[in-house]
């Protein structure tokens, strides 16, 4: 992929590890959990305590919510950030929260341990530059209609400002399928690992929009080699102010974490040290060549001839 | 989903098991492997022997190849079917091969144990009716731009002719992503299991178009609950007459099968009897309701408000 | 575009004219009108008389209707063709009707003056070859998710069988927009005229799915250089057995024809002889080069950098 | 469409007219022309003089250019705005230029007569609110993957801040077609006119990405009822710093303007006062009903059953 100077996979295939308050994203399996939106202090803190107890590594929660309609709930803003701060003090979990305006990066950054760039702002280049200057860990979600190349170029915007701490997050793309909210593209996991040194996590909540699909897709994501997950958990999903269909209950999240730990252990034991990642890294030299041939060589794009 | 009389999930949540020469699709983990196209007798038989030895359950191989250009290799036709027949006699593997014309269903059916309907013919309703009349097991691939509802309606065409033996196969959909050949939509596994009693397998070869992605996506597919896999294997991938970028070598396939068996055992031991399928079935009552709400209720389609 | 031997634009830029019972498609402005489905003799003949009187050149009407569900109205089959035959005897209008099965090409061809290949069968290559052998004029609709290159390759299948009489028909593609039934891609008119010698007509009925949009989009299609239109007209749209939202009443069609004739005259008088077609032909040499640069050169596909 | 309080079509069908320095957008036919990017003073001023002479109503020119790669030309910024200011003083043409950062709205607004929101920022809700507060006329481009409903909701964000001066601009959406840069969706013209009182213009430069297509698609846009056009014109297209394939030469633009004026006169004379707009307004009551039925009634989205 052209123009990727800082984001491209390294010749020695070494992956970046992003340190968030001692949590090593890209090395540990990282689970970021919490409500879609910060709604009240009680809702947020109880959720934080619950996900911490179940084994989550970070707390997510939106204080600024981009919504299709100007009349929908837009988040609590500063009040929401202060609630997240209390939840952090209570549980020790680092905070992941979205920033949507260049003017907010600095002060939101005082509350956030990881600044999230949402799907709709993936190509908000001013915002990318500003979070690049902040130096903070950034969770960069893939745009709803974006290609891998466009996505990695957005990470390049951040790294070009001197901030190497970028975590990529696949959250589903818009397709013609309407059964699921988006189409979760798990093939981005091996693709990102092949083209870049940055870690990639999966958001099965937005990726499917259906509560019951979060478990199978989370397990599948791990198996595909994902470095972590971002999962929405709510104290009372049916009464959530946003995304009520896709948030797990505390019990569901706890059950999922048990399975994720088993799956992680299984994956580490599969084949050599850390397959499937290892086998993939071994094949890097070969795959790089093939990948290039497949994409840029005789068949310039995948629509040309799909046989079966 | 409206209009699904025969294909819809049963009230008792019981899944169909399709019997192919004693192989129980929907119960056993089924791996269909073999070349994209039947090219020569030696190529096909050696591949059949190799995939059989590695543990494959059925042999795939195309004798009729739908191609974008009329001047591309179109398959060996009858000669190809005769080669598949020899490979079957040699190995005992049932044959999965595509049929593309209503006039061919009867005689191709004499060679095939499973008739495959390719993605481009998913909505060739005349062909669906004809294979419905044949009574043979049918592997129905999802169309490149099709929704789950359209796909299940195509299965309904087959069942409506009195043929209940339909295996669904997700093989990737067309999206804006050009890095992969298609976008493999693993969320169709829990979706099909929720909406229908039919088994679903995954084709990671067409689904990604990239050899090195077949292993991680196959493992992920199993973890998502897939009933099986269809994988392209070639004696000499770089010199294949079609799909050279996405066919595994014998050794790669053998290594993959070792991991698939381990993963299958892990999945069977995860949680209760057959999680994640079990937990999903338990939630059937609940999810049906939620699914309906999510899709047809206040938010009529998934584009309405994607928050993160 | 590679592999286009017979369909590609000619060095002298001469366009093909397809003769249908004396109507010269590619030279005259051609309007094909009639009901979505043949429902009854009265409905069809009255419609034929009405569209003839308003100035239509050919009668459309489906006797075989591909439907998403096997339980939806599938057309009258042979009975429908006999009704079309009566309508032809009554009005003298040539008949355009769809064929969906290789086994039907021969006998449907005895009733049809133009065989239509529907969007879902665009890549039914067996059917393309069979209609190619028939020698009859073919109306080849663009697939719902197909690129220009795939579409022209399908026309190549027909011409490769010795049948040069192909009329292309843009009928809208599937996009994320749900307001319209499909997204009518009028840019295919200059694109086809640039890349091929075949005529192209526009189907605003399926292209929009909304009755009130047919007039503005028909006028726009003419202005973009279309060689004709295919428009659904029904004796009683609210009670049509299919596509009730997109069929014009007799009066609406008559009013539209008046405007189309004025628009045609305006276009012929605009600038030189037949602008905008003329100005485009003049630039052929230049545009071929540019087109190639734009697509296959430094910017391999249009997603790379959309500035505004 | 739900939630549209200020943007929805008025009961009396009256359309808004946006006044830009005396130019009445929504009443006059408005042509905005100029270079993709402001590159030099000479390039910009000579282009402004040329497009003014040919009959353009406003000058476009980008000083801030959102680019996929951080290493591509990003525009001249303030220097570019000062050049635009000189061009305005020279020609009297109002300036249309893009703003990409909430922090820039105020000072860019001192140079711009119309602030443009680019496709990638359509759902940058902070930016929408900020330009809403500015009170200036806003040109709101449709996002590359956005539905009409999402687009109109973005306009609602601006109007909800007290700024009624919004001009919508269709500039093509991303589809699977790679021949054109985007797919120009002209059906948005009657759709916007039906659902909203806001004017809509068409950008055939980004919509096609191919110079030779600008003329036919501009004429088609007018015929579909567009209130204006935004067209890229460059003093030396092959050496443009961005979008070189889609900018017209001065001579091409002049020729186009001659045809546009003739087409405008023809359209005004077609049928009654201002057909096709008039006929559409007459049908408003009816179409609203039908539109609703088609979309939200028995067939919830357009994928359910496309017959031809």
């Amino acid at each position: 992929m052209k123009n990727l100077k800082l984001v491209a996979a390294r010749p020695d295939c070494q992956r970046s590890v992003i340190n968030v308050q001692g949590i090593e994203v890209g090395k540990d399996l990282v689970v970021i959990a919490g409500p879609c939106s910060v709604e009240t202090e009680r809702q947020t803190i109880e959720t934080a305590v619950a996900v911490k107890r179940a084994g989550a590594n970070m707390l997510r929660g939106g204080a600024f919510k981009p919504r299709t309609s100007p009349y929908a709930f837009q988040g609590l803003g500063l009040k929401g950030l202060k609630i997240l701060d209390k939840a952090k003090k209570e549980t020790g979990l680092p905070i992941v929260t979205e920033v949507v305006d260049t003017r907010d990066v600095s002060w939101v950054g005082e509350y956030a341990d990881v600044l999230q760039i949402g799907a709709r702002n993936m190509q908000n280049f001013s915002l990318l530059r500003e979070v690049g200057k902040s130096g903070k860990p950034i969770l960069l979600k893939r745009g709803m209609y974006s290609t891998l190349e466009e996505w990695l170029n957005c990470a390049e915007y951040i790294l070009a400002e001197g901030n190497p701490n970028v975590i990529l997050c696949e959250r589903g793309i818009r397709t013609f399928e309407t059964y699921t909210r988006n189409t979760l593209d798990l093939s981005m996991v091996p693709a990102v690992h092949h083209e870049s040194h940055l870690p990639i996590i999966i958001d099965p909540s937005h990726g499917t929009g259906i509560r019951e699909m979060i478990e199978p897709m989370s397990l599948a994501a791990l198996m595909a080699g994902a470095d972590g997950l971002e999962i929405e958990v709510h104290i009372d999903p049916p009464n959530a102010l946003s995304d009520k269909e896709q948030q797990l209950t505390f019990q569901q999240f706890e059950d999922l974490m048990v399975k994720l730990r088993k799956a992680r252990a299984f994956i580490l034991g599969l084949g050599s040290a850390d397959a499937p990642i290892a086998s993939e890294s071994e094949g890097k030299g070969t795959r790089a060549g093939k990948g290039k041939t497949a994409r840029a060589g005789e068949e310039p794009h995948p629509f040309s001839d799909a046989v079966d």
Side-chain angles (χ1 to χ4, degrees), chain A:
Chain A
M1 295 194 174
K2 58 180 181 180
N3 292 329
L4 298 182
K5 298 180 187 172
L6 305 169
V7 157
R10 298 186 180 117
D12 63 0
C13 297
Q14 214 183 336
R15 301 262 182 81
S16 282
V17 173
I18 313 298
N19 192 304
V20 180
Q21 307 284 332
I23 298 155
E24 297 189 297
V25 185
K27 191 175 161 201
D28 306 333
L29 174 70
V30 173
V31 178
I32 303 167
C36 174
S37 303
V38 175
E39 299 170 7
T40 67
E41 185 171 317
R42 187 186 146 259
Q43 166 246 16
T44 304
I45 291 180
E46 291 195 16
T47 306
V49 169
V51 301
K52 162 86 176 182
R53 193 179 50 225
N57 308 97
M58 302 190 209
L59 178 68
R60 66 150 285 150
F64 297 93
K65 303 301 305 177
R67 300 302 291 270
T68 301
S69 166
Y71 310 118
F73 173 62
Q74 310 270 328
L76 298 181
L78 174 59
K79 193 180 156 196
L81 294 174
K82 287 184 173 170
I83 291 172
L84 287 169
D85 202 45
K86 280 196 188 173
K88 180 182 177 180
K89 289 200 173 84
E90 194 82 25
T91 60
L93 292 176
I95 300 300
V96 180
T97 199
E98 184 165 352
V99 64
V100 296
D101 191 320
T102 49
R103 297 172 298 191
D104 301 339
V105 170
S106 166
W107 67 271
V108 172
E110 292 184 29
Y111 294 92
D113 297 289
V114 177
L115 288 170
Q116 180 171 301
I117 301 293
R120 290 208 192 74
N121 277 315
M122 188 195 87
Q123 287 194 318
N124 182 338
F125 301 118
S126 293
L127 187 59
L128 295 179
R129 282 203 204 89
E130 199 68 20
V131 299
K133 285 175 195 151
S134 79
K136 295 197 80 81
I138 307 302
L139 188 69
L140 178 63
K141 293 208 157 186
R142 183 186 183 192
M144 271 183 272
Y145 65 101
S146 302
T147 63
L148 174 61
E149 187 165 358
E150 290 171 333
W151 190 17
L152 293 179
N153 267 288
C154 289
E156 186 82 20
Y157 265 93
I158 300 171
L159 271 72
E161 295 293 334
N163 182 354
N165 303 306
V166 174
I167 305 162
L168 298 165
C169 179
E170 157 69 24
R171 44 78 73 208
I173 51 174
R174 187 169 280 193
T175 68
F176 300 140
E177 184 54 72
T178 54
Y179 186 82
T180 45
R181 181 173 174 174
N182 292 288
T183 294
L184 190 63
D185 183 3
L186 292 182
S187 68
M188 283 300 102
V189 174
V192 162
H193 280 171
H194 186 69
E195 296 295 333
S196 173
H197 57 84
L198 296 172
I200 172 171
I201 71 170
I202 297 292
D203 172 353
S205 303
H206 288 88
T208 66
I210 299 174
R211 190 175 297 113
E212 289 75 13
M213 283 196 182
I214 293 174
E215 179 180 307
M217 297 312 281
S218 293
L219 289 165
L222 253 62
M223 212 61 148
D227 297 300
L229 297 162
E230 183 174 28
I231 296 173
E232 290 187 347
V233 179
H234 196 274
I235 191 170
D236 181 16
N239 290 307
L241 291 183
S242 55
D243 285 1
K244 60 181 69 171
E245 299 298 341
Q246 71 191 38
Q247 306 205 50
L248 295 184
T249 63
F250 294 171
Q251 185 61 50
Q252 286 170 326
F253 181 69
E254 203 180 311
D255 294 348
L256 174 60
M257 285 300 293
V258 171
K259 291 186 181 175
L260 290 178
R261 272 188 294 267
K262 289 184 188 174
R264 176 69 171 180
F266 168 72
I267 291 165
L268 291 175
L270 190 65
S272 59
D274 60 342
I277 292 166
S279 70
E280 182 200 338
S281 298
E282 288 160 22
K284 179 80 77 178
T286 319
R287 178 143 80 101
K290 292 301 164 194
K292 241 174 236 162
T293 307
R295 301 258 64 78
E298 40 188 340
E299 290 192 74
H301 67 82
F303 303 167
S304 49
D305 202 358
V307 178
D308 268 20

